[in-house]
Amino acid sequence: MVRWILAAMAALMMTAGLAAAQQGPLHIEIDEGVIEPLPYALPSFVDEGAGGLTHDITRVIADDLSGTGLFREIPEAAHIQRFGVFDTPVSYADWQAINAQALIVGAVGMSGGKVVVKFRLFDIYSGAQLGDGQQLAASPQSWRRLAHKVADVIYARVTGESGYFDSRVVFVSESGPKDQRQKRLAVMDYDGANVTYLTDSSTIVLAPRFSPQGDRILYTTFETGFPRIKMMDVGSASGQLLPEVPGTMTFAPRFSPDGNSIVYSLEQNGNTDLFQMSVNGGGAQRLTNSPAIETAPSFSPDGARIVFESDRSGTQQIYVMPVGGGEPVRISFGEGRYGTPVWSPRGDLIAFTKQAGGRFFIGVMRTDGSEERLLTASFLDEGPTWSPNGRVIMFTRESPGASGGAKLYTVDISGRNLKAIEGVGGASDPTWGPLLP
Amino acid sequence: MQLLTKAALGLALVALAACNNPQGMGGVNDPGGAFGEGGISQGALNDPNSPAYFSATVGDTVNFLVDQSTLSDGARTTLAGQAQWLNAHPNYAAIIEGHADEQGTREYNLALGARRASAVQEYLISQGVAATRLRTVSYGKERPLAVCSTEECYYKNRRAVTVISIGAGS
């Protein structure tokens, strides 16, 4: 995707009316926990020849920003100033009057068969443009990605952190009754758009995991009649089974942060331990040797440690061990059972599933087990995965009973903004891929 | 695999019923070849040499307590019967399927199902069944038998099922 910087606009619009402004510079500090979302205005982008895409792109940008729970859109009907031309000077007083703190002005055109989006972000109370204007171009079928890229830039400028909108999620699409559930591997945009199926429903598939680059997927398949790990190339949707030890089951694979090796569970004679092998299938190496169940391993982002679950204490609990060998250290000590730990991409937190009192919870704790915080609770929540910036968690929520089904949800690490991903039908086992280049 | 096993089982029933019930039971002699399921299992159930007899009369399923793979006394009795049947029918092999209820995380339940299947396998071996005739697989919580979300269904789903297949194993 081509991207270049437009000349920054002169920002000398300060007027007397500004004296009343009570806010500081445009900024959201995510760590503080946002109670009141930041009001922003996003006038429909100026149509410079892209037709209906202009409106569509504007709305996806709004959905991305408002969907975070950090921003609140001021409806266009309330706007005073209108932008018939992209370069129209901003009347800050008109935006202060409706209490907008941020204004996004943009235009969408066509050039050489590509959709071209340009936009500027304004800080209304400072009366100045925030950052340079930008222009992005992509093929028409990638128009949603263009919108996500614009929203990612705005999110990054206002929060000081990288965004997560231009990303994809691999998951298991579910259909059919509970006792004959059909499962297919699928990929979607982070917001549930553009679902693509990677397998048919002829066999059970479980827990797909993206490679760090998002180009490959590891998952567990029953296609041989027994759980086996398969690696698929996303571009060609072609895959191959990893080598097996006859008479064993292999499952719960994850890539290392460099994408070169795989950590997974291997079951033999009823006992499940952790192993590691190279992505080309060689060099299988045992990591744990205990009569307990060791499964659901996940690397720390620096690749030095592995977090996993084990019932060696008598119940499922979370442990951390050095990759190079060494005694695992238990980090979960609260009431109940803890499983499916996943290390945050920022390295600071571990997300997990907790089971207590007949309920399931998604939570986070520091990597030493301190400061445990439960974010969700329901009949059955499980399998958290992190947004690329480590601020949002996606997980599976299953409803009870004969007609029960699985859906994907997201929640902030503050526990706010719980939302279902709509439009993808039954779905489970998400893994959030990287921010796309 | 599960489907394949069932298909193979269906063929075996037809063959056995044809051998042991020359007068024809149910729809076996249906000239169109379209036999009713009821007819087949009725014929097979009466035949102590059939896999259908194994599953219905000997009992192909044992159940487990929450998060446990320990065999109860009742389970041991059922498995002793399974072993007796398998020892008397050396031309059959078996796949032991381990299952868990939905009250657990996906990966853990796969491992737990494997523990249950393995507990059954070890018991059958202790009763004289050759290890080469037995294989295990875990479905975790992926194939519930009962679909309600109460203990009544959970108990039925926490199970290991011995599925008879053709061939004496490898």
Side-chain angles (χ1 to χ4, degrees), chain B residues 138-156:
Chain B
S138 174
Y139 286 92
K141 60 175 171 177
E142 305 307 317
R143 284 291 176 262
L145 197 62
V147 294
C148 70
S149 293
T150 61
E151 175 56 22
E152 186 190 348
C153 289
Y154 293 162
Y155 179 75
K156 290 178 187 159

Side-chain angles (χ1 to χ4, degrees), chain A residues 170-172 185-186 205-210 217-220 253-254 428-431:
Chain A
V170 63
F171 66 103
V172 172
L185 218 56
V205 290
L206 303 174
R209 307 301 181 200
F210 263 130
I217 294 166
L218 284 168
Y219 64 105
T220 302
R254 265 190 212 273
S428 62
D429 292 4
T431 299

Side-chain angles (χ1 to χ4, degrees), chain A residues 40-349:
Chain A
Y40 72 99
L42 177 63
S44 200
F45 280 10
V46 177
D47 181 3
E48 295 185 348
L53 273 184
T54 305
H55 178 76
D56 294 345
I57 286 173
T58 311
R59 291 333 299 164
V60 170
I61 296 168
D63 289 345
D64 283 348
L65 293 175
S66 300
T68 63
L70 303 174
F71 299 85
R72 176 176 59 80
E73 187 184 15
I74 297 169
E76 194 151 13
H79 298 182
I80 300 164
Q81 185 182 18
R82 305 280 160 170
F83 289 86
V85 178
F86 177 60
D87 286 323
T88 306
V90 173
S91 304
Y92 288 99
D94 286 352
W95 300 103
Q96 287 159 16
I98 60 169
N99 291 317
Q101 288 190 37
L103 168 69
I104 301 142
V105 178
V108 185
M110 297 293 296
S111 175
K114 292 199 160 190
V115 183
V116 180
V117 178
K118 52 188 178 182
F119 69 98
R120 296 187 181 109
L121 171 63
F122 298 93
D123 176 347
I124 298 303
Y125 284 99
S126 301
Q129 185 171 331
L130 186 63
D132 292 330
Q134 279 200 16
Q135 179 164 308
L136 309 154
S139 57
Q141 63 265 32
S142 297
W143 69 269
R144 292 187 74 94
R145 287 200 56 198
L146 275 179
H148 292 320
K149 287 252 178 246
V150 171
D152 276 326
V153 170
I154 293 162
Y155 179 97
R157 284 188 186 166
V158 175
T159 66
E161 303 193 3
S162 65
Y164 57 86
F165 309 122
D166 187 26
S167 61
R168 306 210 81 197
V169 172
V170 63
F171 66 103
V172 172
S173 167
E174 300 196 1
S175 59
K178 198 168 173 178
D179 53 353
Q180 288 170 48
R181 195 67 34 99
Q182 310 263 295
K183 297 200 166 195
R184 303 172 70 181
L185 218 56
V187 175
M188 64 178 191
D189 293 355
Y190 97 99
D191 57 3
N194 290 323
V195 174
T196 309
Y197 297 98
L198 300 176
T199 65
D200 61 25
S201 56
S202 59
T203 192
I204 301 171
V205 290
L206 303 174
R209 307 301 181 200
F210 263 130
S211 64
Q213 302 77 17
D215 57 341
R216 288 161 296 161
I217 294 166
L218 284 168
Y219 64 105
T220 302
T221 172
F222 279 69
E223 69 182 54
T224 65
F226 301 88
R228 289 276 304 273
I229 298 170
K230 196 164 183 174
M231 186 160 61
M232 178 182 278
D233 177 73
V234 178
S236 63
S238 67
Q240 65 180 69
L241 291 164
L242 294 176
E244 69 161 351
V245 180
T248 67
M249 258 175 32
T250 46
F251 58 103
R254 265 190 212 273
F255 285 96
S256 61
D258 64 7
N260 292 330
S261 66
I262 300 163
V263 61
Y264 60 99
S265 275
L266 181 147
E267 176 272 343
Q268 191 160 29
N269 301 322
N271 181 35
T272 299
D273 271 304
L274 298 181
F275 286 73
Q276 188 171 356
M277 72 163 85
S278 153
V279 284
N280 60 31
Q285 181 190 347
R286 175 185 286 274
L287 298 180
T288 63
N289 194 353
S290 122
I293 289 172
E294 274 77 34
T295 191
S298 164
F299 277 95
S300 61
D302 64 2
R305 288 180 289 171
I306 292 172
V307 64
F308 64 98
E309 61 174 71
S310 168
D311 69 348
R312 59 182 66 189
S313 73
T315 59
Q316 246 177 310
Q317 299 293 338
I318 298 173
Y319 295 77
V320 172
M321 68 179 175
V323 169
E327 203 51 34
V329 175
R330 178 172 165 180
I331 64 165
S332 63
F333 290 97
E335 180 208 352
R337 293 159 62 176
Y338 293 78
T340 76
V342 191
W343 217 298
S344 151
R346 304 161 75 95
D348 56 342
L349 295 171

